[in-house]
Amino acid sequence: MPAIPSAAIGRLVTYLRILGQLEAAGIQQTSSGDLAREAQVSAFQVRKDLTRFGSFGKRGAGYTVATLRREIRAILGLTRAWNVALVGMGRLGQAIADYPNFDEYDFSIRAFFDVDERKVGSLISGIEVSHPRDMSRVVAEREIDIGFITVPQGSAQTAADDLVAAGVQGILNFAPTIVNVPPSVKVETVDFLAGLKRLAFYLKPQVEGEPVAEE
């Protein structure tokens, strides 16, 4: 299968959310047009995204909501639980740990790490906080798949190095910096400050002659 653009994967996640809402509302059938309106893309884009992975609908009948939702979950790898470790139990790490119904989204928090000896050994949601020096053992014992980096910017690379050395293949990085990892490890960076700066650009008064950003 050819490489799939990350933007297409992002749209699949959006379609999955919409399908979940439709199923919860008791709606059994939908169409590319319906999905397009909710996702704010074109119907052509919806069909293009889906046909990358197969044929899921019938001409004139659209898509069966439950079936398409099941297929997209399989495409996204959401047919199993993914075990997660958080590195950095400051305010952000604690907020993520306290997120309600986390397990309902096929991700299970199984480990916490922090360098603060005052936090090591304490319990958060019944899980003991470990020191990063024990990461390899804990990751192996608890079969961790994904690591969340929720440490300050200056500690992010060390956290990434620890996760990679422990065998973690996927990292969600909340620190506002780029972390370097081997090509075999996938990193997604969540930078809300970058999002705010993009909003500032769109919201600031346009100067005459200044180029307008394309959507």
Side-chain angles (χ1 to χ4, degrees):
M1 179 183 293
I4 306 300
S6 60
I9 300 300
R11 289 190 294 270
L12 285 182
V13 172
T14 299
Y15 304 153
L16 181 61
R17 173 181 54 78
I18 294 166
L19 290 164
Q21 293 170 344
L22 292 175
E23 192 168 22
I27 297 172
Q28 298 180 357
Q29 292 291 127
T30 189
S31 67
S32 57
D34 293 336
L35 291 173
R37 281 190 294 274
E38 292 297 323
Q40 297 184 3
V41 297
S42 68
F44 171 78
Q45 184 67 70
V46 172
R47 292 192 295 270
K48 181 179 178 181
D49 289 336
L50 294 177
T51 54
R52 292 178 187 274
F53 302 95
S55 178
F56 305 110
K58 295 181 179 179
R59 185 178 297 275
Y63 306 102
T64 301
V65 170
T67 300
L68 184 58
R69 182 168 181 257
R70 183 175 64 250
E71 294 289 349
I72 293 179
R73 282 176 57 85
I75 291 167
L76 293 173
L78 298 178
T79 56
R80 51 156 286 190
W82 296 89
N83 295 332
V84 175
L86 270 63
V87 184
M89 296 313 298
R91 292 181 179 178
L92 178 57
Q94 184 67 62
I96 294 173
D98 291 339
Y99 188 80
N101 304 321
F102 202 93
D103 289 351
E104 292 183 10
Y105 297 92
D106 304 296
F107 300 96
S108 177
I109 298 178
R110 300 289 300 277
F112 300 119
F113 297 97
D114 202 284
V115 296
D116 188 342
E117 296 288 356
R118 294 170 297 180
K119 296 178 181 177
V120 173
S122 62
L123 295 178
I124 299 176
S125 301
I127 300 173
E128 183 177 348
V129 178
S130 302
H131 194 280
R133 60 174 169 259
D134 298 319
M135 189 175 292
S136 291
R137 174 182 59 80
V138 174
V139 162
E141 290 177 351
R142 303 181 191 176
E143 301 179 321
I144 300 301
D145 303 296
I146 298 171
F148 288 8
I149 294 178
T150 54
V151 299
Q153 179 178 347
S155 302
Q157 186 60 56
T158 298
D161 292 343
D162 289 342
L163 287 166
V164 171
V168 174
Q169 296 294 302
I171 296 174
L172 190 62
N173 175 32
F174 288 88
T177 187
I178 301 298
V179 295
N180 297 309
V181 299
S184 60
V185 177
K186 177 63 178 177
V187 176
E188 289 285 340
T189 298
V190 180
D191 189 346
F192 76 92
L193 289 176
L196 287 174
K197 292 169 185 175
R198 287 193 294 270
L199 280 175
F201 174 83
Y202 288 114
L203 295 176
K204 73 180 179 68
Q206 289 292 325
V207 177
E208 186 175 355
E210 183 179 84
V212 178
E214 296 182 358
E215 292 293 340

Short mmCIF file of all heavy atoms in Angstrom, two decimals, residues 124-154:
data_model
loop_
_atom_site.label_atom_id
_atom_site.label_comp_id
_atom_site.label_asym_id
_atom_site.label_seq_id
_atom_site.Cartn_x
_atom_site.Cartn_y
_atom_site.Cartn_z
N ILE A 124 -1.30 7.20 41.65
CA ILE A 124 -2.22 8.03 40.88
C ILE A 124 -3.19 7.09 40.19
O ILE A 124 -2.77 6.24 39.39
CB ILE A 124 -1.48 8.90 39.84
CG1 ILE A 124 -0.50 9.86 40.54
CG2 ILE A 124 -2.47 9.67 38.98
CD1 ILE A 124 0.34 10.68 39.58
N SER A 125 -4.45 7.22 40.53
CA SER A 125 -5.48 6.31 39.99
C SER A 125 -5.09 4.85 40.20
O SER A 125 -5.34 3.99 39.34
CB SER A 125 -5.70 6.59 38.49
OG SER A 125 -6.11 7.93 38.29
N GLY A 126 -4.48 4.57 41.34
CA GLY A 126 -4.10 3.21 41.68
C GLY A 126 -2.83 2.70 41.03
O GLY A 126 -2.45 1.54 41.22
N ILE A 127 -2.13 3.57 40.28
CA ILE A 127 -0.89 3.19 39.59
C ILE A 127 0.28 3.90 40.26
O ILE A 127 0.25 5.11 40.45
CB ILE A 127 -0.95 3.53 38.10
CG1 ILE A 127 -2.11 2.80 37.43
CG2 ILE A 127 0.37 3.20 37.41
CD1 ILE A 127 -2.35 3.21 36.00
N GLU A 128 1.31 3.14 40.57
CA GLU A 128 2.48 3.71 41.25
C GLU A 128 3.34 4.49 40.26
O GLU A 128 3.60 4.04 39.15
CB GLU A 128 3.30 2.60 41.89
CG GLU A 128 4.50 3.12 42.69
CD GLU A 128 5.25 1.99 43.39
OE1 GLU A 128 4.71 0.86 43.43
OE2 GLU A 128 6.36 2.24 43.88
N VAL A 129 3.79 5.66 40.70
CA VAL A 129 4.71 6.47 39.89
C VAL A 129 6.11 5.88 40.01
O VAL A 129 6.60 5.66 41.11
CB VAL A 129 4.70 7.94 40.35
CG1 VAL A 129 5.71 8.75 39.52
CG2 VAL A 129 3.30 8.53 40.24
N SER A 130 6.75 5.64 38.88
CA SER A 130 8.10 5.07 38.85
C SER A 130 9.12 6.11 38.42
O SER A 130 8.77 7.13 37.80
CB SER A 130 8.16 3.88 37.88
OG SER A 130 7.24 2.88 38.23
N HIS A 131 10.38 5.85 38.71
CA HIS A 131 11.46 6.72 38.24
C HIS A 131 11.86 6.27 36.84
O HIS A 131 11.83 5.07 36.54
CB HIS A 131 12.65 6.64 39.19
CG HIS A 131 13.65 7.73 38.98
ND1 HIS A 131 14.59 7.68 37.97
CD2 HIS A 131 13.86 8.90 39.65
CE1 HIS A 131 15.33 8.78 38.02
NE2 HIS A 131 14.91 9.53 39.03
N PRO A 132 12.27 7.21 35.95
CA PRO A 132 12.69 6.81 34.61
C PRO A 132 13.82 5.78 34.58
O PRO A 132 13.96 5.05 33.60
CB PRO A 132 13.13 8.13 33.98
CG PRO A 132 12.30 9.17 34.66
CD PRO A 132 12.20 8.68 36.09
N ARG A 133 14.63 5.70 35.66
CA ARG A 133 15.69 4.69 35.66
C ARG A 133 15.12 3.27 35.62
O ARG A 133 15.82 2.32 35.26
CB ARG A 133 16.58 4.86 36.89
CG ARG A 133 15.87 4.72 38.21
CD ARG A 133 16.83 4.77 39.40
NE ARG A 133 16.09 4.90 40.65
CZ ARG A 133 15.95 6.05 41.32
NH1 ARG A 133 16.49 7.17 40.86
NH2 ARG A 133 15.25 6.09 42.45
N ASP A 134 13.85 3.13 35.98
CA ASP A 134 13.21 1.81 35.96
C ASP A 134 12.33 1.63 34.72
O ASP A 134 11.55 0.66 34.64
CB ASP A 134 12.34 1.63 37.21
CG ASP A 134 13.17 1.68 38.49
OD1 ASP A 134 14.28 1.10 38.49
OD2 ASP A 134 12.71 2.30 39.47
N MET A 135 12.45 2.53 33.74
CA MET A 135 11.52 2.53 32.62
C MET A 135 11.58 1.25 31.80
O MET A 135 10.54 0.69 31.44
CB MET A 135 11.77 3.74 31.71
CG MET A 135 10.71 3.94 30.65
SD MET A 135 10.93 5.44 29.69
CE MET A 135 10.61 6.72 30.91
N SER A 136 12.77 0.75 31.50
CA SER A 136 12.86 -0.45 30.67
C SER A 136 12.12 -1.62 31.30
O SER A 136 11.38 -2.35 30.62
CB SER A 136 14.33 -0.82 30.43
OG SER A 136 14.94 0.14 29.61
N ARG A 137 12.28 -1.78 32.61
CA ARG A 137 11.61 -2.89 33.30
C ARG A 137 10.10 -2.70 33.29
O ARG A 137 9.34 -3.63 32.96
CB ARG A 137 12.12 -2.99 34.74
CG ARG A 137 11.37 -4.03 35.58
CD ARG A 137 11.86 -4.06 37.01
NE ARG A 137 11.73 -2.78 37.69
CZ ARG A 137 10.60 -2.32 38.21
NH1 ARG A 137 9.47 -3.03 38.09
NH2 ARG A 137 10.56 -1.14 38.81
N VAL A 138 9.65 -1.50 33.63
CA VAL A 138 8.21 -1.24 33.73
C VAL A 138 7.55 -1.34 32.35
O VAL A 138 6.46 -1.92 32.21
CB VAL A 138 7.96 0.14 34.36
CG1 VAL A 138 6.47 0.48 34.33
CG2 VAL A 138 8.49 0.19 35.79
N VAL A 139 8.19 -0.80 31.33
CA VAL A 139 7.64 -0.86 29.98
C VAL A 139 7.47 -2.31 29.54
O VAL A 139 6.45 -2.68 28.94
CB VAL A 139 8.54 -0.08 28.99
CG1 VAL A 139 8.25 -0.48 27.55
CG2 VAL A 139 8.35 1.42 29.17
N ALA A 140 8.47 -3.14 29.84
CA ALA A 140 8.38 -4.56 29.46
C ALA A 140 7.29 -5.28 30.25
O ALA A 140 6.49 -6.04 29.68
CB ALA A 140 9.72 -5.23 29.67
N GLU A 141 7.24 -5.03 31.56
CA GLU A 141 6.27 -5.73 32.40
C GLU A 141 4.84 -5.36 32.04
O GLU A 141 3.94 -6.22 32.08
CB GLU A 141 6.53 -5.40 33.87
CG GLU A 141 7.81 -6.03 34.43
CD GLU A 141 8.07 -5.62 35.88
OE1 GLU A 141 7.35 -4.72 36.40
OE2 GLU A 141 8.99 -6.18 36.48
N ARG A 142 4.61 -4.10 31.70
CA ARG A 142 3.25 -3.62 31.46
C ARG A 142 2.92 -3.49 29.98
O ARG A 142 1.86 -2.97 29.62
CB ARG A 142 3.02 -2.30 32.20
CG ARG A 142 3.30 -2.46 33.69
CD ARG A 142 3.08 -1.21 34.49
NE ARG A 142 3.60 -1.37 35.85
CZ ARG A 142 3.62 -0.42 36.77
NH1 ARG A 142 3.12 0.78 36.49
NH2 ARG A 142 4.14 -0.65 37.96
N GLU A 143 3.84 -3.97 29.14
CA GLU A 143 3.62 -4.03 27.69
C GLU A 143 3.18 -2.68 27.14
O GLU A 143 2.17 -2.55 26.45
CB GLU A 143 2.61 -5.11 27.35
CG GLU A 143 3.04 -6.49 27.82
CD GLU A 143 2.02 -7.57 27.50
OE1 GLU A 143 0.80 -7.30 27.62
OE2 GLU A 143 2.43 -8.67 27.10
N ILE A 144 3.97 -1.66 27.43
CA ILE A 144 3.66 -0.30 27.00
C ILE A 144 3.89 -0.14 25.50
O ILE A 144 4.94 -0.52 24.98
CB ILE A 144 4.51 0.73 27.78
CG1 ILE A 144 4.25 0.63 29.29
CG2 ILE A 144 4.23 2.14 27.29
CD1 ILE A 144 2.82 0.86 29.71
N ASP A 145 2.91 0.44 24.82
CA ASP A 145 3.00 0.69 23.39
C ASP A 145 3.34 2.14 23.06
O ASP A 145 4.07 2.41 22.09
CB ASP A 145 1.65 0.37 22.71
CG ASP A 145 1.19 -1.05 22.95
OD1 ASP A 145 1.88 -1.97 22.48
OD2 ASP A 145 0.14 -1.22 23.60
N ILE A 146 2.79 3.06 23.85
CA ILE A 146 2.86 4.48 23.53
C ILE A 146 3.30 5.26 24.77
O ILE A 146 2.83 4.97 25.88
CB ILE A 146 1.49 5.01 23.05
CG1 ILE A 146 1.07 4.29 21.76
CG2 ILE A 146 1.51 6.52 22.83
CD1 ILE A 146 -0.36 4.59 21.34
N GLY A 147 4.17 6.23 24.57
CA GLY A 147 4.59 7.10 25.66
C GLY A 147 4.14 8.53 25.43
O GLY A 147 4.26 9.05 24.31
N PHE A 148 3.58 9.14 26.47
CA PHE A 148 3.23 10.57 26.42
C PHE A 148 4.35 11.35 27.10
O PHE A 148 4.70 11.05 28.25
CB PHE A 148 1.93 10.86 27.17
CG PHE A 148 0.68 10.37 26.50
CD1 PHE A 148 0.71 9.58 25.37
CD2 PHE A 148 -0.56 10.72 27.03
CE1 PHE A 148 -0.45 9.13 24.77
CE2 PHE A 148 -1.73 10.27 26.44
CZ PHE A 148 -1.68 9.48 25.31
N ILE A 149 4.90 12.34 26.42
CA ILE A 149 5.91 13.21 27.02
C ILE A 149 5.21 14.46 27.52
O ILE A 149 4.72 15.27 26.73
CB ILE A 149 7.02 13.57 26.02
CG1 ILE A 149 7.81 12.31 25.64
CG2 ILE A 149 7.94 14.63 26.59
CD1 ILE A 149 8.90 12.56 24.61
N THR A 150 5.17 14.62 28.83
CA THR A 150 4.50 15.77 29.44
C THR A 150 5.45 16.49 30.39
O THR A 150 5.05 16.99 31.44
CB THR A 150 3.22 15.33 30.20
OG1 THR A 150 3.56 14.29 31.13
CG2 THR A 150 2.18 14.81 29.23
N VAL A 151 6.73 16.52 30.01
CA VAL A 151 7.77 17.16 30.81
C VAL A 151 8.04 18.55 30.26
O VAL A 151 7.62 18.88 29.15
CB VAL A 151 9.06 16.32 30.80
CG1 VAL A 151 8.82 14.94 31.39
CG2 VAL A 151 9.62 16.20 29.39
N PRO A 152 8.79 19.40 30.99
CA PRO A 152 9.17 20.71 30.45
C PRO A 152 10.03 20.56 29.19
O PRO A 152 10.64 19.51 28.95
CB PRO A 152 9.99 21.33 31.59
CG PRO A 152 9.50 20.65 32.83
CD PRO A 152 9.18 19.25 32.40
N GLN A 153 10.08 21.61 28.42
CA GLN A 153 10.78 21.59 27.13
C GLN A 153 12.22 21.07 27.24
O GLN A 153 12.65 20.25 26.42
CB GLN A 153 10.78 23.00 26.54
CG GLN A 153 11.51 23.13 25.21
CD GLN A 153 11.43 24.54 24.65
OE1 GLN A 153 10.65 25.37 25.12
NE2 GLN A 153 12.24 24.82 23.66
N GLY A 154 12.94 21.52 28.24
CA GLY A 154 14.34 21.16 28.36
C GLY A 154 14.58 19.69 28.69
O GLY A 154 15.70 19.19 28.53
#
